[in-house]
Amino acid sequence: MSKKVLVATEKPFAKMAVDGIRQILTEAGYEIILLENYKDKADLLKAAENVDAIIFRSDLITAEVIGATKNLKIAVRAGAGYDNVDLKAATEKGVVIMNTPGQNSNAVAELVFGLMLNLARRGYTGKSGTELLGKSIGLHGYGAVGRRVASIAKGFGMDVYAFDPFVKAEIVKADGVKPVDNAEDLYKSCDYVSLHMPKTKETAGSINWSKLSLMKKDGVLINTARAEVIDEPSLLKMFEERSGFMYGSDVEPACKEAIAAKFSGRYFFTQKKMGAQTEEANINAGLAAARQIVAFFEKGDVRFKVN
Ligand code: 3PG
């Protein structure tokens, strides 16, 4: 019986990515089942029931979803962050979870500059703004996205600093980026701080008053990581107490209404998570996911396993 692969994307891939995924799976003799743009969890539960593999994005792969499957062997997150997956439930059921690290990082990195420019140019309202040239940027997290941001920032003539507890200073230095010893130093000394950590138990809510309050008078915070890494009461306090503070985020924070009511012109939020929503990123991550599934079934390749 041919393997059945479900592509479950509440936020759909570009058509070219779906075509490429279909080609890879069809060539392997697999069947592709598409569940795009769905609104109801029940649709995902039903579609997942009889498949051998799932390709997904920010879709919630909960214990309920995993529990609803009968044949599932592997699910691949076409992207980097897998905080949307119940890894424990997957492991208990013997389901391999993988991600596709680095495949969509350029798209996310480019959005960092979209957010920074939007804020620096005051939303293109006619008000005089500022330039990125000569400003400093601190990268909190130096994985694939952080590295790509560093490289683009250098093109803008920015002075680039980074902190990542899991990356050696020599690696950061080799990229022409200045490593700092602790996160606090980034917040203290940089004009822009850009967040590039995954959402984990440790990082959720970790960008709090103890870090934010160290920011420069006109400091700008950019978040293309996860909305939940920010401690929102501290964020609101920053808006209240620091009239020069600005915040750009890929997705709205829960306290968006409170910010919008009082701090117009000092924030920009995407309505839906858009960092990786480019044709190129969809193709890179989607096709990588399809290839990883075929390599897993045909050769037992578990290189990108995260559980
Ligand atoms: C990721 O973790 O890869 C990014 O946040 C992209 O998420 P998306 O697939 O929902 O756009």
Side-chain angles (χ1 to χ4, degrees):
M1 272 248 288
S2 79
K3 300 263 185 288
K4 290 186 171 60
V5 181
L6 171 68
V7 177
T9 48
E10 174 272 325
K11 182 173 57 186
F13 286 128
K15 183 180 177 303
M16 276 174 74
V18 178
D19 291 346
I21 293 168
R22 178 178 287 109
Q23 191 179 341
I24 290 167
L25 297 176
T26 309
E27 275 170 14
Y30 300 178
E31 186 187 333
I32 177 172
I33 296 148
L34 278 183
L35 178 69
E36 295 179 296
N37 236 327
Y38 62 93
K39 302 279 175 268
D40 195 340
K41 182 180 69 177
D43 295 339
L44 175 59
L45 292 173
K46 187 159 174 282
E49 195 179 332
N50 293 310
V51 300
D52 302 277
I54 303 177
I55 294 174
F56 62 99
R57 297 183 62 182
S58 286
D59 308 76
L60 296 180
I61 306 300
T62 57
E64 188 184 9
V65 172
I66 290 162
T69 66
K70 292 188 188 134
N71 303 322
L72 189 68
K73 303 285 178 302
I74 177 169
V76 182
R77 197 286 190 233
Y82 45 88
D83 48 289
N84 48 327
V85 187
D86 191 324
L87 289 185
K88 189 166 168 276
T91 306
E92 278 169 12
K93 203 165 172 172
V95 175
V96 168
I97 304 293
M98 293 186 188
N99 65 349
T100 64
Q103 299 289 351
N104 58 18
S105 50
N106 182 65
V108 180
E110 288 190 12
L111 184 69
V112 169
F113 291 86
L115 296 173
M116 289 203 295
L117 288 170
N118 193 314
L119 292 170
R121 295 305 184 96
R122 308 294 182 251
Y124 314 110
T125 51
K127 276 191 202 145
S128 198
T130 55
E131 300 182 17
L132 300 184
L133 177 71
K135 303 294 188 302
S136 53
I137 180 167
L139 309 172
H140 191 169
Y142 199 67
V145 180
R147 284 184 91 149
R148 188 69 198 122
V149 172
S151 157
I152 302 172
K154 282 190 274 172
F156 272 94
M158 299 184 88
D159 206 9
V160 190
Y161 296 80
F163 172 74
D164 190 320
F166 305 104
V167 180
K168 288 203 176 83
E170 301 88 83
I171 293 178
V172 177
K173 269 191 212 152
D175 290 345
V177 173
K178 298 174 190 84
V180 299
D181 293 336
N182 54 68
E184 284 69 20
D185 284 352
L186 290 181
Y187 291 80
K188 261 183 227 162
S189 57
C190 294
D191 301 304
Y192 290 84
V193 175
S194 187
L195 305 177
H196 299 293
M197 71 279 291
K199 182 190 150 201
T200 62
K201 270 206 307 292
E202 291 72 32
T203 64
S206 68
I207 309 306
N208 55 23
W209 189 247
S210 71
K211 295 185 184 69
L212 295 176
S213 62
L214 302 173
M215 288 184 82
K216 287 181 156 188
K217 192 166 63 62
D218 296 326
V220 179
L221 182 68
I222 300 292
N223 181 7
T224 53
R226 291 289 182 269
E228 297 87 349
V229 300
I230 304 274
D231 175 60
E232 295 202 0
S234 304
L235 179 70
L236 275 171
K237 195 164 168 198
M238 285 295 284
F239 273 104
E240 291 281 0
E241 295 189 5
R242 310 286 178 91
S243 59
F245 172 75
M246 294 198 282
Y247 180 52
S249 172
D250 186 17
V251 306
E252 302 168 336
C255 62
K256 187 218 154 181
E257 300 294 317
I259 295 174
K262 282 170 67 188
F263 307 114
S264 142
R266 292 173 52 199
Y267 67 90
F268 181 83
F269 307 136
T270 56
Q271 289 170 18
K272 208 168 172 78
K273 188 144 78 72
M274 292 304 290
Q277 195 61 333
T278 65
E279 208 166 81
E280 294 88 340
N282 291 172
I283 291 170
N284 292 342
L287 271 59
R291 288 194 189 103
Q292 286 172 213
I293 287 171
V294 175
F296 170 78
F297 283 124
E298 304 305 321
K299 300 187 217 147
D301 187 343
V302 287
R303 233 175 324 158
F304 297 100
K305 186 170 184 273
V306 295
N307 66 333

